């Protein structure tokens, strides 16, 4: 059963790889909507935040600095929100109470520019060993297979990714047009959000506006990427062998690609696949649960911000 499962999962990955290898070649898509003008002075640095798949319900505009009333638009969603709160708290601890996020804009890529599909209701629940085994049973049969769902799931995912890829620079350009501000940017992407951001590192670097990059749970992680922290000697993400991966798109040394051990999205090692069958996945745990790498990541983010303000 397990060998058949490996073959089927490999086929699923291959299908998605084909989609993701080609989606960045699509032409731009027109988008409606313009970012709201900033009511404050221009920020020297702004965080461009891209949420993970299905994160469309916890959209809460958030103030990250007690000394600055500016608010995010809320579309950074829960995991990136937790990261930014953690980084603010860490900076205050290490900088005599000073605020990291004072004067920093947070620009969540909203659903006008990026849908973050497929929606939660479209994806299988793999939160427990029982649900994992049930889903594997569906894969190997008898009865309806998850492979039957692949065309609709892939269509939703790829539609979202194409829209998001084209929408990132559109959102940034609309923000700059609406505010008259041209800050440096730190790209922060979770899961699918990392995948849509990484293709824009070079353009922002060429503009002289790329201050740093943080991806976590990134399916595009290359096993050769020296920016990977967390997992050791990983095999890379399930889309990390495409020509358009975290290594080939890299445009700055100020970057971290965070992959927690036993996150099959960014590490497709056989041992991780085996472990995932008996251990709840950790893909949902980034910054919602403490890890030994959190302080290093927060400190690096703080250094990137300080370097451009």
């Amino acid at each position: 059963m397990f060998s058949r499962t490996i073959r089927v999962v490999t086929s699923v990955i291959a299908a998605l790889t084909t989609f993701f290898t080609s989606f960045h070649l699509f032409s731009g898509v027109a988008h409606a909507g313009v970012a709201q003008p900033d009511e404050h002075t221009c920020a020297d640095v702004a965080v461009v935040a891209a949420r993970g798949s299905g994160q469309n319900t916890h959209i809460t505009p958030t103030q990250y600095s007690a000394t600055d009333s500016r608010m995010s638009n809320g579309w950074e969603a829960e995991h990136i929100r937790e990261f930014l709160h953690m980084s603010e708290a860490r900076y205050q601890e290490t900088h005599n109470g000073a605020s990291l996020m004072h004067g920093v804009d947070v620009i969540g890529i909203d659903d006008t520019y990026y849908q973050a599909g497929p929606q939660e209701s479209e994806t299988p629940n793999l939160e427990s060993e029982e649900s994992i085994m049930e889903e594997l049973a569906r894969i190997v049969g008898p009865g309806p297979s998850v492979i039957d769902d692949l065309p609709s799931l892939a269509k939703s995912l790829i539609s979202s990714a194409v829209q998001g890829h084209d929408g990132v620079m559109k959102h940034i350009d609309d923000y700059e047009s609406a505010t008259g501000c041209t800050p440096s940017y730190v790209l922060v992407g979770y899961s699918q959000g990392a995948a849509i951001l990484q293709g824009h590192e070079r353009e922002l670097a060429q503009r002289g506006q790329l201050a740093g990059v943080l991806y976590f749970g990134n399916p595009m992680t290359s096993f050769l990427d020296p920016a990977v922290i967390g997992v050791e000697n990983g095999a890379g993400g399930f889309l990390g062998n495409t020509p358009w991966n975290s290594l080939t798109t890299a445009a700055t040394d100020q970057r971290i690609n965070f992959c927690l051990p036993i996150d099959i999205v960014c590490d497709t090692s056989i041992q991780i696949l085996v472990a995932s069958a008996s251990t709840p996945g950790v893909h949902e745990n980034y910054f919602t649960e403490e890890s030994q790498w959190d302080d290093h990541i927060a400190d690096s983010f703080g250094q990137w911000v300080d370097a451009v303000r």
Side-chain angles (χ1 to χ4, degrees), residues 265-283:
V265 172
C266 51
D267 180 15
T268 56
S269 304
I270 293 298
Q271 62 268 27
I272 299 303
L273 180 59
V274 173
S276 296
S278 59
T279 304
V282 300
H283 190 64

Side-chain angles (χ1 to χ4, degrees), residues 55-192:
Q55 290 194 309
N56 295 310
T57 56
H58 298 282
I59 309 305
T60 306
T62 302
Q63 178 181 341
Y64 289 101
S65 172
T67 61
D68 189 341
S69 61
R70 73 183 69 210
M71 306 279 286
S72 73
N73 62 4
W75 286 93
E76 65 272 25
E78 50 267 41
H79 286 80
I80 296 176
R81 185 176 300 119
E82 289 298 321
F83 162 70
L84 294 173
H85 279 311
M86 179 201 73
S87 296
E88 172 69 11
R90 170 70 176 173
Y91 193 89
Q92 290 185 31
E93 291 173 3
T94 58
H95 289 74
N96 298 316
S99 173
L100 169 64
M101 297 300 292
H102 185 99
V104 176
D105 278 344
V106 177
I107 309 166
I109 305 296
D110 67 42
D111 61 351
T112 302
Y113 304 88
Y114 165 51
Q115 295 173 353
Q119 302 307 309
E120 205 170 300
S121 60
E122 298 177 279
T123 57
N125 173 22
L126 300 179
E127 291 299 316
S128 66
E129 179 178 354
E130 291 77 12
S131 61
I132 290 170
M133 297 313 295
E134 287 173 5
E135 199 58 43
L136 291 180
R138 288 188 62 217
I139 291 174
V140 299
S145 168
V146 73
I147 300 302
D148 297 334
D149 298 331
L150 180 58
S152 61
L153 287 173
K155 181 178 179 180
S156 178
L157 178 61
I158 301 309
S159 174
S160 169
V162 171
Q163 182 208 30
H165 176 266
D166 294 333
V168 170
M169 291 310 301
K170 173 65 173 170
H171 199 172
I172 290 173
D173 289 343
D174 286 350
Y175 162 83
E176 292 187 353
S177 294
T179 63
C181 304
T182 54
S184 294
Y185 296 101
V186 176
L187 304 182
V188 180
Y190 168 50
S191 196
Q192 184 188 164

